[in-house]
Amino acid sequence: MGSIPATRSRFEAVDHKPLGGPFKIEAAYRGDTSEDKVNLGIGAYRDDAGQPWLLPSVAEAKKRMDLPSCTHEYSPLHGLDAFIEPARRLVFGAELDPEIAPFVASMQTVSGTGANSIIAKFLARWIQPQQIWLPAQTWDNHPHIWRQNAPAIQVRDYPYYDQKTCSLDFAGLMATLERDAKEGDAILLHACAHNPTGIDPTENQWKDIALLCEKKRMFVVFDSAYQGFASGNLDKDAWSIRHFATHPDLEFAVCQSFSKNLGLYGERVGALHIVTSRNATPSVALAIRSQLVEIHRGEVSIAPAFGARVATTVLTSEEIFSQWLEDLVLMSGRIKAMRQALYDELVALGTPGSWKHVVEQTGMFSYTGLSTDQVTVMQEKFHIYMLPTGRISICGLRDANVKYVARAIDNVVREGKA
C-alpha cells in the first residue's frame, strides 16, 4: 500500500478566542512584576491581607460532614431536596414560602450561570418571548448566555446607568420599557448589588418596575448572586424578589447562586426557582420541573453534590446558620469600610468631582466613573488593574493599598482635567 498523503487538520479554520473581561485583567495582573500592583478586577471576596477567605461557617459545616466517610453517589436528576428546599426558603422567606411553595418549580443548578442558562433554554422552548431585556450595563456573561442558549430570542438593552450622575437612570429605564417592550417579553433584573454598577433601585422604584412588568405580562428573570453579601442582611437583599412574589399574577424565575455569600466559588452551587401564577394548578409546577430536568440532563446531567451538601449543612443547622449570619456581616462590613476609606481619601485629596457614588453604591463592585483612557493610565502608570468601564472590585482594596489607589485616581482625574 502506498503512503496516505498528509492533510491539513479540519480545525485549521478555528479562530483563537482571547480572554475577555475580568479574566483578561487577571492574566495581565499576574504577569505584572511591580510590587505596587493592585488587582481591582477580581470578582471574589478577599480579606484585608488580599487572600481568599474560608468562611468559619463553611469550615464548621465541613467538619460536621465527616468527609472521610462521605460517599460520591449520584444525586436525583433535579438535585438534592435537602438543599433545594432551604435554598428556596432563603429566597422567599419563612412567611411567604409556605404560601407560594406549591406554585414554585425548583431544581439544583451549576451555580447561577447554570440557572441562567437553563431558564434561557426553557423560555425559548416553552414560552418563546420575542425579546429578553437586559440592563445596558450587566454581567458580561448575561448576553452570551442568552445568545448561546436562546438564539431565537432577541437580546435588547434597557437604560440603567447614568454616566453623568453615576446613578440609576430610572426614568430612562421605565420610559424604554413602557415604549418598546412587547407584551410577554422577558426581562432580567439583578435582585441586589447590581453587577457591575453597584446601583440598585429603591423600594419605591422596585414597586413601579413590578407594576410595569405586571401590566405588560413580562416574564421576569431575577439574578440573585449576592443575597446577604450586599447588605449583610438576607431579608433586605431579597426584598425585590419577595415584593414581586406578592403580585399573584406575576410569573418569574430566580437564578440563585451561593458562590459569593458562602464563598463556594469553585463548587458551583446554585438553584433555579420558577414561580407560576397563583391561578395555576399544582401540576403545573411539577410539569415545569420535569422539563427543566430534561434540559439540564442534556447539558450536564446532574449538578455537583459536594458544595450543595456544604450549603445544606449551613442552611439547616441553627448554630452554623447563626455563624453564617456573622460571616455575612463581616464580609459586607469590610466592603463598606473600604468604600468609605476610598471616599474619605479622595475627599481629603480634593479630587475633582463628586465621589458620593462610591459609598452610595452597594455590594462587591463600584462604577468609579473613570473613562477608558483613565483606566489605561491606571494600569500602565500605577499598575492598578480594573475593567475598561471603570468598574472596580471593592474586595481588592485593603488598608495597605487604599491610599495608593486614591492617589492614582486623583492623578488621572487631574490629568484628564488639564
Side-chain angles (χ1 to χ4, degrees):
M1 293 179 61
S3 62
I4 299 174
T7 60
R8 297 183 69 195
S9 169
R10 68 192 68 196
F11 301 113
E12 293 290 345
V14 176
D15 293 328
H16 174 71
K17 183 69 174 178
L19 291 173
F23 301 101
K24 180 180 179 180
I25 299 300
E26 177 72 12
Y29 169 80
R30 289 183 180 277
D32 191 330
T33 59
S34 171
E35 294 183 357
D36 295 325
K37 66 179 182 179
V38 180
N39 186 357
L40 301 182
I42 188 67
Y45 182 79
R46 295 291 183 262
D47 63 19
D48 197 53
Q51 298 301 312
W53 189 57
L54 176 63
L55 277 64
S57 54
V58 170
E60 181 61 28
K62 290 197 288 186
K63 285 182 184 178
R64 302 233 185 140
M65 287 169 62
D66 189 19
L67 297 182
S69 66
C70 281
T71 62
H72 303 279
E73 292 296 304
Y74 287 122
S75 303
L77 285 173
H78 65 271
L80 296 171
D81 287 316
F83 162 72
I84 294 169
E85 293 184 11
R88 189 194 65 229
R89 286 196 298 271
L90 191 75
V91 171
F92 297 107
E95 292 185 11
L96 187 59
D97 183 69
E99 175 189 339
I100 68 168
F103 305 99
V104 181
S106 299
M107 72 171 299
Q108 184 185 340
T109 60
V110 183
S111 199
T113 303
N116 275 275
S117 299
I118 297 301
I119 191 59
K121 282 184 177 290
F122 176 80
L123 292 184
R125 183 176 298 181
W126 289 100
I127 310 301
Q128 299 171 352
Q130 293 185 44
Q131 304 175 117
I132 170 69
W133 290 87
L134 306 180
Q137 294 78 24
T138 194
W139 179 41
D140 63 356
N141 210 19
H142 278 145
H144 180 64
I145 287 171
W146 281 90
R147 291 189 176 110
Q148 180 169 292
N149 291 283
I153 301 176
Q154 183 183 7
V155 175
R156 298 286 303 274
D157 293 342
Y158 60 85
Y160 197 84
Y161 176 72
D162 186 329
Q163 181 73 37
K164 293 181 179 179
T165 61
C166 298
S167 62
L168 178 66
D169 182 6
F170 183 68
L173 180 159
M174 294 294 288
T176 298
L177 294 176
E178 185 73 58
R179 181 184 66 246
D180 298 333
K182 297 178 174 62
E183 182 172 323
D185 277 356
I187 181 172
L188 186 139
L189 301 170
H190 296 234
C192 68
H194 180 272
N195 176 9
T197 69
I199 301 167
D200 293 335
T202 65
E203 290 187 1
N204 284 334
Q205 289 170 337
W206 275 122
K207 291 176 182 178
D208 289 342
I209 295 170
L211 290 173
L212 178 59
C213 291
E214 187 173 43
K215 181 177 74 172
K216 294 218 166 194
R217 301 193 72 248
M218 301 182 80
F219 185 88
V220 178
V221 178
F222 276 108
D223 195 333
S224 180
Y226 299 96
Q227 186 182 358
F229 187 94
S231 69
N233 185 299
L234 290 164
D235 295 327
K236 180 178 180 180
D237 291 346
W239 191 92
S240 59
I241 297 172
R242 294 176 189 178
H243 174 73
F244 274 61
T246 64
H247 290 250
D249 293 328
L250 264 177
E251 297 185 304
F252 62 93
V254 179
C255 301
Q256 182 182 24
S257 169
F258 288 92
S259 293
K260 304 297 193 299
N261 57 13
L262 277 175
L264 296 173
Y265 301 98
E267 303 302 338
R268 316 312 293 143
V269 184
L272 173 62
H273 312 280
I274 297 182
V275 181
T276 70
S277 165
R278 305 296 200 283
N279 295 319
T281 60
S283 63
V284 171
L286 294 175
I288 291 173
R289 191 176 79 168
S290 73
Q291 293 297 335
L292 296 177
V293 167
E294 178 70 10
I295 294 170
H296 198 251
R297 190 180 183 202
E299 294 291 313
V300 296
S301 190
I302 298 169
F306 176 74
R309 289 173 178 161
V310 174
T312 300
T313 305
V314 173
L315 295 175
T316 58
S317 165
E318 184 176 348
E319 179 184 349
I320 301 179
F321 187 85
S322 295
Q323 176 62 56
W324 183 42
L325 296 181
E326 294 180 14
D327 297 343
L328 292 171
V329 170
L330 187 151
M331 289 190 291
S332 61
R334 195 186 95 74
I335 291 172
K336 292 173 186 176
M338 286 298 97
R339 284 185 179 277
Q340 188 66 51
L342 179 60
Y343 172 76
D344 290 344
E345 290 296 332
L346 291 170
V347 170
L349 290 166
T351 306
S354 172
W355 297 94
K356 285 185 178 180
H357 57 277
V358 173
V359 288
E360 290 173 347
Q361 294 165 4
T362 187
M364 181 176 286
F365 303 113
S366 173
Y367 247 37
T368 59
L370 296 179
S371 69
T372 302
D373 289 342
Q374 290 170 329
V375 169
T376 299
V377 176
M378 291 285 286
Q379 180 173 326
E380 294 179 351
K381 183 176 180 180
F382 297 100
H383 307 276
I384 298 173
Y385 292 82
M386 63 185 72
L387 293 189
T389 57
R391 188 209 81 172
I392 64 172
S393 173
I394 300 296
C395 297
L397 293 174
R398 301 184 283 134
D399 288 340
N401 66 23
V402 67
K403 289 180 182 291
Y404 175 72
V405 171
R407 288 197 298 270
I409 292 174
D410 181 76
N411 181 278
V412 299
V413 170
R414 292 183 189 278
E415 288 294 322
K417 294 288 186 181

